[in-house]
């Protein structure tokens, strides 16, 4: 059997400037490009002369299977995802299909995994520096995950003071999850905690709202929105949302080490009483 390749490619948030050269090269060299309609549209200028397989949102398994089959038969196939294909993207499903058909390393197709800028990073860059300290991502989609599991993760992240990037916060039919997420997080954080709502970052029609935990539900939140909820340390400055790394716990702005601290050593904290 001829050696085919299957490249699983993240194209970043939307515009060409934020897709990596490696992602664009993989698409240019492909014979077959498979992906959800919206993502295919985002790279349409690269698709001349290629076979393009566009599919709808609910056809993921079929899309992954057809990509694998075509590559196995010898074609250079690219499967495109938005953001990073390995973050709530098609990469996981590709591995499940490969496992299902008994594929082994060294078999056709050769696999290539090409990273992209995930929504948390692209959206963060639109509002400041909210992810500079520990953060996590949680998808609010309960289409494939029980809501009880999602709620438990929100609670754990909120109680441990992570900055939280919520993917898939809502859709036309799914509107309850963001309401419940807000109320879970509110039990652990002040109502004034900064929150960013970024819709379609780096795409046409991009919309950015900076608000707080008590008011986030006053705004439109949909399928293209990522919601970034600050931690107890996150602050607003000149219209930017910032989570500090912690430098000022140890140093003054003149570079002096604060009393009781030592550079390169663990932060010394007062006993909590
Ligand atoms: N693989 C993608 C995530 C797919 S899940 C990635 O790594 O970014 C789909 C969710 O991602 C959307 O509901 C939204 O929450 C987020 N998202 C994807 N692209 C976005 C963009 N350009 N702007 C804001 N959010 C985006």
């Amino acid at each position: 059997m001829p050696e085919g390749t299957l490249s699983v490619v993240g194209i970043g948030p939307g515009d060409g400037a934020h897709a990596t050269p490696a992602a664009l090269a993989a698409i240019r060299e492909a014979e077959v490009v498979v992906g959800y309609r919206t993502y295919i549209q985002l790279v349409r200028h690269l698709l001349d002369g290629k076979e393009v397989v566009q599919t709808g949102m609910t056809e993921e398994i079929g899309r992954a299977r057809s990509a694998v089959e075509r590559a196995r038969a010898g074609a250079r196939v690219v499967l495109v995802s938005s953001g990073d294909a390995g973050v709530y993207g098609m990469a996981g499903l590709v591995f499940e299909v490969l496992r299902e058909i008994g594929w082994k390393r060294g078999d056709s197709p050769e696999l290539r995994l090409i990273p992209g800028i995930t929504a948390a990073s692209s959206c963060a860059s639109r509002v400041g520096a909210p992810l500079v300290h520990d953060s996590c991502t949680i998808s609010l989609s309960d289409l494939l995950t029980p809501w009880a599991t999602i709620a438990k993760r929100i609670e754990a992240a909120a109680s441990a003071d992570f900055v939280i990037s919520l993917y898939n916060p809502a859709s036309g039919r799914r509107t309850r999850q963001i309401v419940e997420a807000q109320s879970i997080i509110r039990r652990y954080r002040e109502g004034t905690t900064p929150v960013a709502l970024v819709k379609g970052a780096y795409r046409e029609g991009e919309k950015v709202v900076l608000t707080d935990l008590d008011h986030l539900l006053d705004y439109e939140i949909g399928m293209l929105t990522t919601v970034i909820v600050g931690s107890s340390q996150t602050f607003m400055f000149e219209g930017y949302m910032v989570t500090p790394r912690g430098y000022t716990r140890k140093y003054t702005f003149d570079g002096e080490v604060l009393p009781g601290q030592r550079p390169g050593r663990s932060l010394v904290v007062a006993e909590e009483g």
Side-chain angles (χ1 to χ4, degrees):
M1 212 187 305
E3 173 82 349
T5 58
L6 176 57
S7 302
V8 188
V9 174
I11 57 167
D15 66 330
H18 294 90
T20 66
L24 297 173
I27 294 169
R28 257 187 232 110
E29 288 157 21
E31 294 160 323
V32 182
V33 179
V34 183
Y36 173 54
R37 245 169 240 118
T38 314
Y39 310 148
I40 293 282
Q41 285 306 309
L42 292 172
V43 295
R44 62 184 177 277
H45 54 289
L46 302 173
L47 301 179
D48 270 359
K50 301 180 196 306
E51 184 188 338
V52 175
V53 184
Q54 298 191 47
T55 55
M57 191 68 126
T58 55
E59 300 155 41
E60 271 116 357
I61 296 179
R63 199 189 318 161
R65 281 203 61 149
S66 81
V68 168
E69 294 302 339
R70 295 297 304 275
R72 198 146 92 119
R76 279 195 307 278
V77 179
V78 161
L79 185 57
V80 294
S81 262
S82 72
D84 187 310
V87 180
Y88 308 114
M90 293 293 287
L93 190 50
V94 163
F95 280 104
E96 291 186 71
V97 169
L98 289 170
R99 187 169 64 172
E100 180 66 26
I101 64 175
W103 177 89
K104 300 263 181 301
R105 270 179 191 258
D107 288 355
S108 180
E110 183 195 327
L111 259 193
R112 293 183 190 159
L113 302 159
I114 300 178
I117 301 176
T118 191
S121 294
S122 57
C123 294
S125 75
R126 279 311 202 206
V127 298
L131 308 184
V132 169
H133 213 297
D134 298 337
S135 75
C136 68
T137 64
I138 298 176
S139 168
L140 294 192
S141 172
D142 61 357
L143 301 180
L144 303 172
T145 305
W147 176 252
T149 303
I150 299 169
K152 200 160 125 193
R153 288 178 186 164
I154 297 168
E155 175 124 27
S159 68
D161 206 21
F162 284 92
V163 173
I164 308 172
S165 298
L166 298 171
Y167 283 60
N168 302 301
S171 70
R173 244 178 298 172
R174 243 178 2 86
T175 53
R176 185 180 47 85
Q177 288 80 4
I178 185 65
V179 177
E180 292 193 26
Q182 189 270 355
S183 93
I184 296 169
I185 300 169
R186 182 67 179 85
R187 282 191 237 132
Y188 297 89
R189 294 195 195 163
E190 297 293 341
T192 53
T193 304
V195 170
L197 313 174
V198 183
K199 177 187 173 191
Y202 298 95
R203 295 191 196 172
E204 241 178 80
E206 177 189 272
K207 212 169 155 206
V208 176
V209 172
L210 283 158
T211 177
D212 63 27
L213 196 49
D214 271 349
H215 296 96
L216 77 100
L217 298 172
D218 299 347
Y219 300 89
E220 181 204 332
I221 296 175
M223 288 230 303
L224 281 178
T225 309
T226 296
V227 178
I228 305 179
V229 182
S231 71
S232 65
Q233 303 303 301
T234 305
F235 61 87
M236 291 303 298
F237 160 69
E238 288 294 314
Y240 289 107
M241 177 176 176
V242 179
T243 307
R245 179 75 174 82
Y247 291 100
T248 55
R249 288 188 166 147
K250 192 171 252 178
Y251 303 98
T252 69
F253 278 103
D254 300 329
E256 301 290 328
V257 180
L258 292 173
Q261 301 294 344
R262 281 201 289 174
R265 299 295 174 86
S266 301
L267 186 73
V268 176
V269 285
E271 288 286 320
E272 282 182 35

